[in-house]
Amino acid sequence: SQQGEEDPQALSIQEGENATMNCSYKTSINNLQWYRQNSGRGLVHLILIRSNEREKHSGRLRVTLDTSKKSSSLLITASRAADTASYFCATVEGQGAQKLVFGQGTRLTINP
Amino acid sequence: GAGVSQSPRYKVAKRGQDVALRCDPISGHVSLFWYQQALGQGPEFLTYFQNEAQLDKSGLPSDRFFAERPEGSVSTLKIQRTQQEDSAVYLCASSLAGAGYGYTFGSGTRLTVV
């Protein structure tokens, strides 16, 4: 079963613009993680934000978490063609849980 | 090794054939996970090991699916009597100590059942 729902399902922007993807989830979480997947490849871990954190940065990535709304957003600033990929949020549900539950993903296309 | 290694990279099986998919996790990673990813979908959890113990197999879709990690390192996912609906990419991931850290994924095995 899918926990998170990403929005939008697909996003196409021009190189240099910012890209924002959103994720909503249903149950209480321990942490939320974002992953990138290039076509035909495995997933690459981008960033992890814990339930007691509200915002986190890593290079051109900015992640926010609103546990009251059960939502998270991933912002990629100054996008590059190499950022073209699918982006997935994944949640770890509750204390002691181990498995990641993934959403359906957002397909991001950066046009040169 | 430096990353999670999966083999084979591609597998074509005739319906009814048994297949075995292999995963070599990062050395020292305690946790190992198997996921199934259908085309255009997010990964779906199959099963989880902590060392050699299979702690969660709630995602295995039927008793045709079986996973093992006998020595707490390499893991094998076996699918018996494959069906067309088993066609998917099977992803393996390992983690140093569970979901409090990020997972490292392998490139996956693309299984096509014809």
Side-chain angles (χ1 to χ4, degrees):
Chain A
S1 62
Q2 298 287 330
Q3 156 77 310
E5 291 185 10
E6 280 92 342
D7 168 48
Q9 290 189 343
L11 178 62
S12 181
I13 61 173
Q14 294 300 120
E15 195 168 20
E17 294 180 340
N18 296 341
T20 300
M21 288 159 274
N22 302 296
C23 167
S24 60
Y25 57 92
K26 298 171 185 170
T27 63
S28 62
I29 60 170
N30 178 283
N31 68 66
L32 185 145
Q33 305 178 24
W34 285 89
Y35 287 80
R36 183 186 74 228
Q37 185 176 38
N38 291 88
S39 181
R41 308 289 296 177
L43 288 88
V44 174
H45 178 256
L46 296 176
I47 199 165
L48 180 153
I49 186 165
R50 303 191 187 282
S51 59
N52 61 352
E53 297 175 309
R54 291 297 166 258
E55 188 170 312
K56 207 161 183 179
H57 297 255
S58 178
R60 293 184 297 114
L61 305 181
R62 173 178 168 250
V63 168
T64 63
L65 178 65
D66 187 335
T67 53
S68 67
K69 295 181 180 178
K70 291 187 168 56
S71 67
S72 174
S73 67
L74 171 67
L75 168 67
I76 304 174
T77 61
S79 63
R80 305 168 182 169
D83 295 330
T84 294
S86 292
Y87 291 82
F88 295 90
C89 70
T91 53
V92 178
E93 300 168 354
Q95 294 294 328
Q98 295 300 321
K99 68 184 183 187
L100 278 176
V101 181
F102 286 86
Q104 301 280 20
T106 292
R107 174 67 190 168
L108 176 65
T109 302
I110 309 299
N111 302 303
Chain B
V4 177
S5 177
Q6 291 188 248
S7 62
R9 186 79 175 87
Y10 302 95
K11 175 69 179 177
V12 178
K14 291 184 178 179
R15 194 173 56 173
Q17 187 179 351
D18 297 349
V19 298
L21 312 179
R22 178 187 169 102
C23 173
D24 273 280
I26 292 174
S27 178
H29 276 197
V30 170
S31 304
L32 185 146
F33 306 83
W34 283 98
Y35 284 81
Q36 179 191 61
Q37 186 176 26
L39 189 64
Q41 302 292 313
E44 292 265 5
F45 171 81
L46 293 177
T47 186
Y48 156 62
F49 290 86
Q50 184 171 307
N51 296 307
E52 69 278 5
Q54 189 175 21
L55 299 186
D56 188 343
K57 55 181 180 179
S58 61
L60 296 176
S62 76
D63 58 7
R64 296 186 296 105
F65 286 70
F66 172 77
E68 59 183 6
R69 193 186 185 197
E71 297 179 359
S73 56
V74 171
S75 176
T76 304
L77 176 67
K78 298 178 180 177
I79 309 173
Q80 297 176 323
R81 305 181 304 281
T82 52
Q83 304 293 316
Q84 280 194 314
E85 62 262 28
D86 300 335
S87 295
V89 175
Y90 291 85
L91 295 166
C92 176
S94 70
S95 175
L96 184 62
Y101 302 82
Y103 293 15
T104 301
F105 279 83
S107 295
T109 293
R110 181 177 296 279
L111 172 66
T112 304
V113 181
V114 297

